[in-house]
Amino acid sequence: MNKVTVLGSLNVDSILRFKRFPKPGETLPLTGKSVAGGGKGANQAIAAARAGAQTTFIGKVGQDQEGTFMVQQLTESGVDDRFVQHSDAAATGSAFILLDASSENRILIDGGTNQLVTAEDVEQAQSVIADSTFLIAQFETPIAATQRGFELARAAKQKTILNPAPATDAVPAELLAVTDLIVPNETETETLTGVHITDEASMVAGAQKLQALGVANVIITVGSKGAFWMRGGEHGFVPAFKVDAVDTTAAGDTFIGALSSVLQPDFSNLAEAVRFANRASSLAVQKLGAQPSIPTQAEIVAADQTK
């Protein structure tokens, strides 16, 4: 069983549904609204835990009902919450997900306590990082905290997975130097490398540029098309499973969490792990909400056996 530690965000998601996005100055009625647990970090941790990994979370929530709710979402999925701190300096993070009838989403985020996570907070979890198969992080918490976590993982000879989202072109070279696997989507790849992703040739070019920045292993996710992988000089493309999507909000996070649950620390089964992650993601997009949509290991295996 892989041991996965996730450093990242916890957000309470407010999901607003409507037929189409309003034009400037236009008022439209909602067709529905709901609240669910979210945050890229929490989504990835829950996906890893439900897919079978022993999972621990490092993050911060407010001293409020939303914080209590978010910790409950973690623990109910079997995620160890020992390193989730409660702060009275800000409110728990929140996100507002705008979802139209075609399942296209736009997301607005208030980082709240996610922005208060420090390198010192991460150092308190040094022992669990040193015992983890993988440490995963994203960019919804401060990069300085992520860099410190990755340095601790590298010192302990454990592997790191970076999801560079939301996209930024200000990724320190020092962070990439201690990143073992990077998992951007096509937009994030272009932001990091300047390569516009249109086909497999451009994926190869983008991945090679990421390798030149110091990351040996690369996965570029391309939504409903699938995912491209590169390990050393080897590469391939794993098509997505075709399904009718309802809500794509947690698709990428489910992919990364599920991937970490089955990936070998030497990345020797990268292609097979990508396929497993694709299957998990295909199940997540068929349900509404981020964390409520994330499948269990049994559901992923059953889907593979029946389709």
Side-chain angles (χ1 to χ4, degrees):
M1 177 188 295
N2 281 354
K3 296 181 179 179
V4 175
T5 297
V6 179
L7 163 62
S9 55
L10 304 107
N11 291 328
V12 176
D13 289 350
S14 296
I15 306 162
L16 307 177
R17 302 191 300 279
F18 39 82
K19 290 184 178 180
R20 60 175 176 81
F21 290 97
K23 299 175 183 178
E26 183 181 24
T27 300
L28 294 176
L30 294 178
T31 59
K33 62 178 180 178
S34 57
V35 174
K40 295 191 68 62
N43 295 344
Q44 291 170 16
I46 287 173
R50 290 183 185 171
Q54 181 180 325
T55 309
T56 303
F57 195 83
I58 304 169
K60 192 167 288 189
V61 295
Q63 294 279 13
D64 46 34
Q65 291 182 343
E66 290 78 8
T68 300
F69 171 75
M70 286 308 306
V71 172
Q72 183 180 6
Q73 304 313 297
L74 294 177
T75 57
E76 286 182 351
S77 290
V79 179
D80 185 341
D81 70 333
R82 282 177 294 161
F83 300 103
V84 178
Q85 297 187 21
H86 294 254
S87 172
D88 59 6
T92 298
S94 58
F96 299 88
I97 300 171
L98 313 179
L99 188 65
D100 72 4
S102 68
S103 299
E104 180 182 347
N105 66 52
R106 299 178 186 177
I107 303 174
L108 304 171
I109 293 177
D110 176 16
T113 46
N114 295 316
Q115 297 304 311
L116 303 181
V117 178
T118 65
E120 290 73 21
D121 296 330
V122 176
E123 288 172 351
Q124 293 182 28
Q126 181 173 357
S127 61
V128 74
I129 292 172
D131 191 42
S132 296
T133 315
F134 297 107
L135 173 63
I136 303 174
Q138 328 76 34
F139 288 159
E140 288 185 346
T141 48
I143 288 179
T146 296
Q147 184 167 327
R148 183 57 181 147
F150 278 27
E151 290 169 351
L152 293 172
R154 178 60 61 90
K157 296 181 167 49
Q158 306 295 20
K159 302 301 182 181
T160 57
I161 301 174
L162 179 64
N163 174 214
T168 175
D169 58 2
V171 183
E174 295 82 1
L175 175 58
L176 295 176
V178 288
T179 298
D180 294 298
L181 170 65
I182 192 166
V183 190
N185 62 21
E186 62 265 52
T187 301
E188 293 148 5
T189 300
E190 183 172 0
T191 299
L192 288 168
T193 68
V195 177
H196 182 54
I197 302 301
T198 56
D199 54 17
E200 190 162 346
S202 60
M203 294 176 203
V204 170
Q208 288 175 336
K209 282 204 170 187
L210 289 169
Q211 286 184 327
L213 292 172
V215 187
N217 305 283
V218 179
I219 297 173
I220 300 174
T221 59
V222 285
S224 61
K225 296 177 182 177
F228 172 89
W229 61 270
M230 180 173 284
R231 173 177 175 256
E234 300 177 334
H235 64 83
F237 188 83
V238 182
F241 294 92
K242 301 304 179 184
V243 298
D244 294 326
V246 174
D247 180 4
T248 61
T249 303
D253 298 332
T254 298
F255 179 96
I256 291 171
L259 178 93
S260 71
S261 73
V262 297
L263 186 62
Q264 294 295 323
D266 63 358
F267 303 101
S268 59
N269 68 332
L270 189 57
E272 294 85 355
V274 168
R275 184 186 182 281
F276 180 83
N278 275 350
R279 175 64 82 185
S281 185
S282 75
L283 294 174
V285 300
Q286 295 180 68
K287 296 181 180 179
L288 188 66
Q291 291 168 12
S293 72
I294 297 171
T296 64
Q297 182 183 53
E299 289 171 332
I300 300 167
V301 172
D304 247 359
Q305 291 174 343
T306 58
K307 296 181 181 180

